[in-house]
Amino acid sequence: MKAEVAGKASAQVVQGMEARVTQTEGGLAQVMAKAFLHLIADSGNGPLIGGMELGNDGNVVSLRFLTNSMEILAPNGASEGMEWRNGYLRVWKGAAQRIIGASFGAAGDNLVDYFGPNVGAGAASKANAVMWMDASGSAYFGGQLSAGILRNAVQTTTTQTVGVELVNGPFATNGRVRSVTVSFSRRHIRTKTTYGSDGFVAGAGQNTARVEIYRRVGEGAESLWQVLNVSGSVMILNEQDGPDSATSTWGGSFTVNDTSTSAQTMTYRAVITSFTEQGVRHESGSFQQQSITQSLSIISVEN
């Protein structure tokens, strides 16, 4: 079926079926059953082909869609459904949505995974997410309730140091004891890939960090609650017939029982207030590669 206007624009529907069996010289049979539906439209910019193709070769059944977007909606309307468009998959029901993919969300957030309120793909952001992951490898995990335990956990993997903060809450509590774990870790690896007799040398200073944890009960004032003092070290491996490496590490954690019995919401905030690093240099004056990973997390568990 085809409709056309004076060679300027056209729309066409093409469908077909094919069944084929062939015998090879080795006596093997090859089979193929195929059906397709193609929708072809040309508005003057060249033909755009969409549709679907279904095939079966006796071993694998394959289904291919040629489409820019696809929606599956519940019969009761748009209160729940699933859509694929522009490189991301979005699933929603009621007030919640989950989005996985690329090219969605607030400008600059660079999201690849999102769970939060059902505000649509364009309005999804780190600011309104319960959980998010971005293309740089950073992530944020909000609170969850499972197996009769109130568990609220957050994490940041940004490699910035002084001034970085992480907020867990506000979240509801049953007024029982909460086991709160705060941890910080960082690893900085430097690599000299060219061989030689010179190598990495550790200099002055120490690997340390201070993380202050503040607590807020309900709508009350925030106050300093705990301090995590982090230490670290430098490990150097120099090879004459291989690459040289220097690895600086920081690490520390604690678990404290919060016995405040308030049934109001709780908020914990951790902020890195100081950071020092032991000097490391290569005797040649330079090195080719380096990588930095870091994690700051707060976990609250109430049984």
Side-chain angles (χ1 to χ4, degrees):
M1 179 185 299
K2 183 176 183 180
E4 187 173 4
V5 177
K8 297 181 179 180
S10 64
Q12 185 177 5
V13 178
V14 179
Q15 58 183 338
M17 294 180 289
E18 177 185 356
R20 183 175 69 250
V21 178
T22 59
Q23 189 82 18
T24 65
E25 293 182 358
L28 298 176
Q30 294 180 341
V31 299
M32 172 58 71
K34 184 177 181 181
F36 64 88
L37 172 66
H38 288 170
L39 309 177
I40 307 170
D42 186 349
S43 60
N45 298 317
L48 179 65
I49 302 175
M52 60 176 290
E53 299 175 353
L54 176 63
N56 184 346
D57 65 0
N59 296 303
V60 176
V61 178
S62 61
L63 176 62
R64 173 184 295 179
F65 292 95
L66 306 175
T67 180
N68 296 107
S69 66
M70 180 176 66
E71 293 185 354
I72 301 175
L73 301 177
N76 60 350
S79 63
E80 59 186 72
M82 179 174 65
E83 66 174 346
W84 165 267
R85 67 176 68 241
N86 300 327
Y88 64 81
L89 176 66
R90 174 174 171 257
V91 180
W92 71 92
K93 181 175 182 179
Q97 67 174 2
R98 177 77 181 273
I99 308 172
I100 301 174
S103 303
F104 72 90
D109 279 1
N110 212 16
L111 292 168
V112 296
D113 197 350
Y114 171 95
F115 174 73
N118 187 7
V119 294
S125 69
K126 292 179 178 179
N128 61 27
V130 175
M131 179 202 77
W132 59 258
M133 299 180 187
D134 66 20
S136 67
S138 296
Y140 169 90
F141 301 93
Q144 66 178 24
L145 174 63
S146 60
I149 297 175
L150 287 172
R151 183 179 187 274
N152 294 273
V154 291
Q155 178 188 34
T156 177
T157 56
T158 178
T159 56
Q160 300 297 314
T161 53
V162 175
V164 168
E165 69 174 29
L166 182 65
V167 178
N168 190 349
F171 57 84
T173 172
N174 292 328
R176 295 191 290 267
V177 174
R178 290 167 300 282
S179 177
V180 180
T181 300
V182 178
S183 63
F184 174 82
S185 64
R186 179 181 173 92
R187 181 179 295 268
H188 185 176
I189 303 175
R190 307 166 181 85
T191 304
K192 177 76 171 183
T193 58
T194 54
Y195 300 170
S197 59
D198 47 13
F200 282 103
V201 177
Q206 292 180 316
N207 290 349
T208 69
R210 176 184 170 94
V211 182
E212 295 182 353
I213 297 87
Y214 294 82
R215 182 181 65 180
R216 183 181 184 187
V217 180
E219 298 299 322
E222 181 184 71
S223 61
L224 179 63
W225 182 55
Q226 301 286 337
V227 173
L228 172 62
N229 290 308
V230 179
S231 60
S233 62
V234 174
M235 183 177 68
I236 292 176
L237 179 62
N238 294 321
E239 301 280 356
Q240 289 192 1
D241 56 352
D244 301 334
S245 66
T247 302
S248 301
T249 60
W250 294 254
S253 67
F254 67 71
T255 299
V256 176
N257 287 331
D258 186 352
T259 58
S260 59
T261 57
S262 172
Q264 301 180 67
T265 59
M266 297 295 301
T267 303
Y268 300 102
R269 181 173 68 93
V271 57
I272 302 174
T273 57
S274 68
F275 177 87
T276 64
E277 181 173 5
Q278 184 176 358
V280 176
R281 66 178 181 86
H282 198 274
E283 293 173 314
S284 68
S286 64
F287 53 89
Q288 288 85 14
Q289 299 175 1
Q290 69 173 342
S291 66
I292 301 175
T293 57
Q294 180 174 293
S295 173
L296 174 64
S297 66
I298 309 172
I299 302 173
S300 171
V301 178
E302 180 179 350
N303 293 312

